Structure formats: C-alpha cells, structure tokens
Amino acid sequence: MNLTEIIGFVLMAGAAAYVQTLTGFAFGLLLMGAVGISSVMPLRDAAVIVGVLTLFNAGIMLTKGWRDVLLPRLVLVLWSSLPMLVVGYFLLDHLASNSLLMLRIVLGVVIVVSSLPLIKPPSRDTAPQSKRSYLFFGALSGIMSGLFSASGPPLVYHFHRSSFSYVAIRETLVSVFALNALIRLAVVIGDGTFPAPSYWPSLLAVFSVMAGTQLARRLPPPLSPVAMRWMVFVLLCGSGLSLALPALVTILK
C-alpha cells in the first residue's frame, strides 16, 4: 500500500466506526464495501484487517461491560456460528481464488440485504425466543463473519426483537463479534493467509476507529434516529449496488 491508500483506509475505518457507534452495527459492511469500491487492497486481506480492528474495538468495550453479557444466549449463538465461520472462510478463499467478480456480487448482495432492517427496525417481542432461533441466526452470523468479518446484521436483527435490556444486548453482541474475530484470525494464521507486510500499515486504523467511536459519542449528527437510519441505508445500498452491478454486467456479457 502506498501512503495515499493507507490514509484512505484509515479515514474509511474511522468513518465506519463513527456510523457503527450511532447505529449499533455496519462497521464491517461499510468498510468492506468501501474497500471493494476503492480497491485499496484485496477483499480477502481487507477481511482480516477488519477482523483485527473489530477485535481491538470489542476488547475496549468489554473491559467495562462484560458483566452484562447474556451468557446462555452467547453460548447458543457460538455453538452454531463458530463452525459456520470456518465454512464462510473457506468459501471466501474459494471465491477469491476462482471468481473475484462473484465475490464482489456476493459482498454487494450481503450489504444490500443487511441494510433492509434499517428501513423498518424489528419490533420487540415479549415472548421468549426459541433456542433454535439463536442457533439459526448464529449460523448466518458465522457465515458472514467467515466471508467478510461482518457478523453483525443477523444477530443485531434477532437480539433487538427480544425483551432484554439494550445494555445486555449490546455487550452480548460485542462478545460474539470479538470471539468470532478471534477464531477467524486463528483460522487465517493457521491457513497461512495473513496479509503481506505491505498491508500491515492499515492497522494504524485502530487509532481512527477509536477516534470515530469517541466522536460519535460526543458529537452525534443533528439528525433524528429515523433520518440517521435512512442515511446509513442509502450508504449501504449505494456501496452494495456499486459493487454488485458492474460485476454482474461483466459476468453476463
């Protein structure tokens, strides 16, 4: 990476962290979408860097909030997400090695679909959610984590339908993200596909992630929650379509 690409990635990571702090998710999706559009690095390497940044950010958050984690739900989610994470990782490896255009289409579709709950957030349900539902959404989360280090959307949707407190939901989700990122990093190292040293300067984005998180807490935009959700929806849809449509046109030619 040259200096311009490093600066660009660091700024994109800070912006994604800012949005995530306001909305509760979208860090990985926004950053992967921005990388896909700008081509500052290969998507496979970007997923590793995003995972490291997610692990770092989650570690900071959990130093104070780990006591609020919903442990039984966390175990259920991990039971299905961790095996599917490995499946998602090797699917990414296959697509990155054999069809980069298809990889861009998959990422674009995932981003667009994941943005849809922003239009109509899930309504809370006082009835207890079944164990199978946690296993199902955990599996979806694991696949997305393995593919793009973006395990949030399925679980954010599912947990926010529950009657648990916002703090408990947030800390449980952060715990899932951290553990998924840690296991994915172990798989990457074991598979020998950690990014080349030329991409390591992108890890400087830990500072912009910290700055973006603090900025969102202290200086949120003067927008209503509804307007904020629509803005993020447009950002996600725009990036997803920008990735998927050109690749789809090229394949269909």
Side-chain angles (χ1 to χ4, degrees), residues 48-232:
V48 179
I49 301 299
V50 169
V52 173
L53 296 176
T54 298
L55 183 58
F56 178 84
N57 197 39
I60 294 175
M61 294 181 67
L62 286 172
T63 54
K64 295 183 179 179
W66 62 270
R67 293 180 182 85
D68 295 303
V69 173
L70 302 166
L71 189 58
R73 273 74 185 175
L74 175 66
V75 172
L76 277 174
V77 169
L78 293 177
W79 186 256
S80 59
S81 70
L82 295 183
M84 296 309 293
L85 182 154
V86 178
V87 172
Y89 170 78
F90 285 107
L91 178 58
L92 168 66
D93 186 65
H94 173 76
L95 292 173
S97 302
N98 296 283
S99 180
L100 288 175
L101 289 175
M102 185 58 68
L103 179 60
R104 293 173 71 88
I105 291 173
V106 171
L107 175 57
V109 170
V110 165
I111 291 173
V112 171
V113 172
S114 298
S115 71
L116 296 179
L118 287 166
I119 301 175
K120 191 178 186 304
S123 56
R124 292 214 160 197
D125 187 357
T126 55
Q129 293 164 305
S130 68
K131 292 182 178 180
R132 289 183 180 179
S133 67
Y134 285 97
L135 292 171
F136 174 74
F137 283 96
L140 291 180
S141 173
I143 292 175
M144 290 182 60
S145 180
L147 275 168
F148 306 119
S149 289
S151 58
L155 292 179
V156 169
Y157 175 79
H158 186 58
F159 271 90
H160 279 283
R161 292 166 59 201
S162 70
S163 58
F164 296 112
S165 69
Y166 173 77
V167 172
I169 291 172
R170 182 189 64 199
E171 301 306 329
T172 305
L173 290 173
V174 170
S175 298
V176 174
F177 302 159
L179 289 169
N180 276 349
L182 184 61
I183 297 302
R184 192 184 192 283
L185 183 60
V187 172
V188 167
I189 293 173
D191 195 40
T193 55
F194 196 83
S198 60
Y199 295 114
W200 292 1
S202 61
L203 292 172
L204 291 170
V206 295
F207 299 107
S208 65
V209 168
M210 293 170 61
T213 300
Q214 291 301 319
L215 185 62
R217 289 172 177 170
R218 300 180 182 221
L219 192 64
L223 298 173
S224 68
V226 173
M228 186 67 203
R229 287 199 302 269
W230 273 101
M231 185 185 77
V232 177

Side-chain angles (χ1 to χ4, degrees), residues 1-50:
M1 297 178 74
N2 58 42
L3 182 60
T4 301
E5 290 172 334
I6 294 170
I7 293 173
F9 182 84
V10 168
L11 293 176
M12 289 188 294
Y18 182 86
V19 172
Q20 162 147 313
T21 305
L22 295 172
T23 63
F25 83 107
F27 174 74
L29 291 175
L30 280 174
L31 190 49
M32 288 294 292
V35 168
I37 293 170
S38 62
S39 299
V40 295
M41 69 173 74
L43 289 175
R44 178 162 55 182
D45 293 324
V48 179
I49 301 299
V50 169

